[in-house]
Structures are given as C-alpha cells and as structure tokens.
C-alpha cells in the first residue's frame, strides 16, 4: 500500500481542514431532518429514473442540503463512482446479496477505488461494494492495492453493507464513520486510513495472510482511530489484527470473537519501532481461539474501565447524536 506523495499532501491539507473545523453540513427535508426529501430509482433493466448509479448521482444538485435517497434495484453494476461535493445522499439496495457495485481498477491506490465518497453526510444500506482485481487471487502473483470503497467525508453510516477485496479493500480515510452489521473481506491491510470510526456487529472475513487494519493516526492530538465492538473475525490464513501504518496508530477491539486466523503476536510494529508507547492497540474482553493474549507483543495496551468507556459509539463519534437523526 504505497500512496503517492502528492496524495499524502492532499490528505494532510484535508486533515488540517477537517480537524480544525470539525464540520459537516446539516441535512434537511421539507418536513423532518431525518426523512428523505425524494427518492431517485436506478435499474439496469429499465423502468426507473436511471440505468446507472453515476447518472443518478449526477442528477443531484451540487449545493444539495436535503436527504435524497437513491434506491438501486438488484443487479451487478460495473461502475467506478466518485461523489465529491454532493452531501446528504442515502444509497440503498434491496440487499447486499443481490445489489453489487464492482470494478477492477488497480493502476494506483488512488485510481483503483470502485466507490469514492468525499462528501459529508452519506448513508449506504444493503449494498456490496467490491473491487474485482485480485479476486480470486492467482497463485504466485503478488497482489497490489485495489480499493473497493473510500470514505473521505464526515458523518458517514453504513448498514448491512459488504466490502469485498483482497489488498486495501476499505479505505476508511477521514471523518467520523459508523459501520453496523457489515461484512468486510480481504487479506492485506484491508481496513486502512485515518478515519475516526466504530465498527459494530461486523463480520471480518480473512482470505489470506497480512493485516486486518493499517490505521494511520499521525499525532496524539488526532482524534482518529478504529473501534471494533462485538465483531467476528474468521476466515482462512493468518493475519495481524493491526499494522502500525503511522506512529500513533490506534485500534481497539471490544467484546469480539477471534477465530484462529489471528497471529499469536496480534500486532505488528512494521517500521514504527520507537513509537511503541505512542501506538494504542488493545483488546478488551475478546473471546475465541485467536483471542489468547499470552503471546501478544509486550507493547499492546491494557485499558482501564474509564478508557474503555471513551471508545463507546456515543463517546467516540456520536457526541452530537447524529447517528439517531439519520433517515
């Protein structure tokens, strides 16, 4: 996972903007801020407003501040989609087993993304986002980054969605994000970035060797980090729970189940040697054959009850109560 220097500069500028203002526009509708103003339909077979998802997105005004739903009929949509400035979108499929958005780009990490959301206030429900490159992985061929989804805005929520890839599946990049009952599949750094996110009741499926997370928090003041609560790790292969992609990387697993796909060491310092005290990697009341901490790296943290409370959904990302206001 090598990100070009110019992209790192852009991310740094965005981080300064986001963490200094900590703003996301408020979404409205004609009656209730938690209701959609209107619905746009998409179907590959016709009988809807549009036959492609990108066309539906393009129909929404750039200055939109109302919740607008895009309902996607079952099907496999081979599209590469970017949402830059259009906030307050609800993207809903019938079910993640029947509604899939996929693409196979892989030239660079930035260019490989199947579905890319820069805008704030984004909700997705019942959809599979996939990058088909590396799937299935060809023996003796080294995988390369191929991103299924990037979240680069504030106040995102994902309900019963799936994210499927091999390397760099889910780029959880910037902003506050909530993942509920989602399925996430990959092998190498397949949840990565600088997001401030809670994963609740999610299934994490390992399909090779590598690392589940590569969180990239850059300072003690940066509020980002990944919290996994009541999640399930299973699959095939052997992985680290987290690899320290930056010197203040932060990942916490709480009340989760680990199958025997978790490496006994648990965590990997990578090239951040010397920052063991700055990195926050912790496991709290986790169970399963992979949750045995007797051989964990000595610098993994032990959290107090008070510290654990700081990683609840409400305390970590939902102080304003924005999740309960979603449509």
């Amino acid at each position: 996972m090598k990100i070009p220097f110019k992209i790192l500069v852009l991310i740094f500028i965005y981080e300064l903007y986001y963490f200094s203002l900590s703003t996301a526009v408020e979404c409205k509708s004609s009656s209730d801020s938690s209701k959609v103003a209107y619905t746009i339909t998409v179907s590959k077979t016709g009988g809807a407003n549009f036959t492609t998802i990108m066309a539906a997105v393009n129909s929404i005004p750039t200055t939109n501040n109302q919740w607008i739903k895009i309902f996607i009929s079952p099907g496999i949509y081979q599209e590469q989609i970017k949402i830059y400035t259009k906030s307050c979108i609800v993207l809903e499929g019938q079910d993640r087993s029947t509604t899939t958005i996929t693409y196979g780009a892989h030239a660079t990490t930035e260019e490989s993304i199947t579905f890319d959301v820069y805008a704030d206030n984004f909700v997705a429900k019942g959809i599979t986002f996939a990058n088909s490159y590396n799937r299935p992985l060809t023996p003796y061929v080294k995988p390369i980054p191929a991103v299924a989804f990037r979240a680069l805005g504030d106040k995102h929520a994902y309900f019963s969605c799936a994210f499927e890839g091999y390397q760099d599946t889910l780029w959880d990049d910037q902003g506050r994000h909530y993942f509920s009952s989602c399925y996430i599949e990959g092998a190498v750094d397949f949840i990565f970035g600088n997001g401030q996110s809670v994963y609740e009741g999610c299934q994490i499926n390992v399909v090779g060797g590598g690392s589940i997370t590569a969180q990239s928090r850059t300072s003690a003041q940066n509020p980002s980090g990944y919290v996994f609560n009541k999640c399930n790790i299973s699959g095939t292969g052997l992985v680290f729970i987290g690899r320290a992609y930056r010197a203040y990387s932060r990942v916490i697993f709480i009340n989760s189940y680990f199958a025997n796909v978790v490496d006994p060491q648990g965590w990997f310092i990578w090239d951040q040697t010397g920052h063991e005290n700055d990195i926050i990697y912790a496991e709290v009341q986790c169970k399963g054959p992979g949750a045995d901490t007797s051989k964990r790296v000595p610098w993994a943290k032990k959290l107090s009850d008070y510290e654990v409370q700081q990683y609840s959904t409400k305390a970590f990302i939902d102080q304003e109560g924005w999740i309960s206001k979603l449509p």
Side-chain angles (χ1 to χ4, degrees), residues 250-324:
R250 178 161 60 174
V251 180
I252 297 96
F253 277 84
I254 303 171
N255 294 322
S256 294
Y257 177 87
F258 297 172
N260 58 6
V261 296
V262 174
D263 189 289
Q265 295 182 82
W267 310 93
F268 182 33
I269 195 68
W270 196 44
D271 61 356
Q272 302 300 335
T273 300
H275 288 281
E276 287 85 352
N277 290 333
D278 301 320
I279 293 165
I280 301 176
Y281 285 164
E283 301 160 61
V284 181
Q285 296 181 350
C286 294
K287 299 178 180 180
D292 179 1
T293 60
S294 63
K295 296 181 180 179
R296 290 294 194 259
V297 294
W299 45 270
K301 301 297 187 289
K302 303 292 184 183
L303 302 181
S304 68
D305 290 344
Y306 173 78
E307 288 172 319
V308 173
Q309 281 299 112
Q310 306 315 302
Y311 296 112
S312 69
T313 300
K314 184 171 181 60
F316 194 56
I317 63 170
D318 193 33
Q319 301 93 330
E320 306 155 64
W322 61 271
I323 294 174
S324 64

Side-chain angles (χ1 to χ4, degrees), residues 85-301:
T85 59
K86 299 183 179 185
S87 296
C88 310
I89 292 176
V90 179
L91 195 73
E92 185 173 345
Q94 179 173 289
D95 184 88
R96 71 188 188 203
S97 66
T98 61
T99 308
T100 297
I101 303 169
T102 185
Y103 208 74
H106 55 275
T108 67
T109 308
E110 178 78 14
E111 294 170 331
S112 73
I113 306 164
T114 296
F115 205 107
D116 197 0
V117 184
Y118 281 67
D120 296 333
N121 292 294
F122 178 82
V123 178
K125 302 178 181 179
I127 299 171
T128 289
F129 302 94
N131 191 308
S132 59
Y133 191 75
N134 297 327
R135 294 170 54 83
L137 183 67
T138 303
Y140 312 113
V141 174
K142 183 179 179 180
I144 62 175
V147 180
F149 195 98
R150 175 165 67 169
L152 188 59
D154 193 30
K155 295 184 180 178
H156 285 198
Y158 304 88
F159 300 96
S160 298
C161 288
F163 304 87
E164 298 180 353
Y166 190 89
Q167 180 171 350
D168 295 2
T169 302
L170 175 56
W171 194 347
D172 185 354
D173 199 3
Q174 295 280 354
R176 291 167 291 177
H177 308 144
Y178 179 63
F179 297 83
S180 176
S181 301
C182 290
Y183 173 90
I184 307 164
E185 181 176 290
V188 181
D189 298 347
F190 62 98
I191 304 172
F192 75 104
N194 193 36
Q196 182 180 347
S197 304
V198 171
Y199 295 78
E200 199 162 62
C202 293
Q203 174 69 37
I204 299 170
N205 187 41
V206 177
V207 292
S211 179
I212 294 171
T213 67
Q215 208 278 333
S216 56
R217 183 167 173 253
T218 54
S219 72
Q221 291 71 43
N222 187 320
S224 74
Y226 299 156
V227 177
F228 296 83
N229 187 24
K230 299 179 181 178
C231 293
N232 186 309
I233 300 174
S234 60
T236 58
L238 192 67
V239 294
F240 293 106
I241 312 168
R243 175 172 76 90
Y245 193 59
R246 291 287 182 266
Y248 289 81
S249 184
R250 178 161 60 174
V251 180
I252 297 96
F253 277 84
I254 303 171
N255 294 322
S256 294
Y257 177 87
F258 297 172
N260 58 6
V261 296
V262 174
D263 189 289
Q265 295 182 82
W267 310 93
F268 182 33
I269 195 68
W270 196 44
D271 61 356
Q272 302 300 335
T273 300
H275 288 281
E276 287 85 352
N277 290 333
D278 301 320
I279 293 165
I280 301 176
Y281 285 164
E283 301 160 61
V284 181
Q285 296 181 350
C286 294
K287 299 178 180 180
D292 179 1
T293 60
S294 63
K295 296 181 180 179
R296 290 294 194 259
V297 294
W299 45 270
K301 301 297 187 289

Side-chain angles (χ1 to χ4, degrees), residues 64-76:
N64 174 59
N65 66 349
Q66 301 182 88
W67 282 115
I68 297 173
K69 179 186 289 187
I70 299 175
F71 181 80
I72 308 169
S73 295
I76 298 175

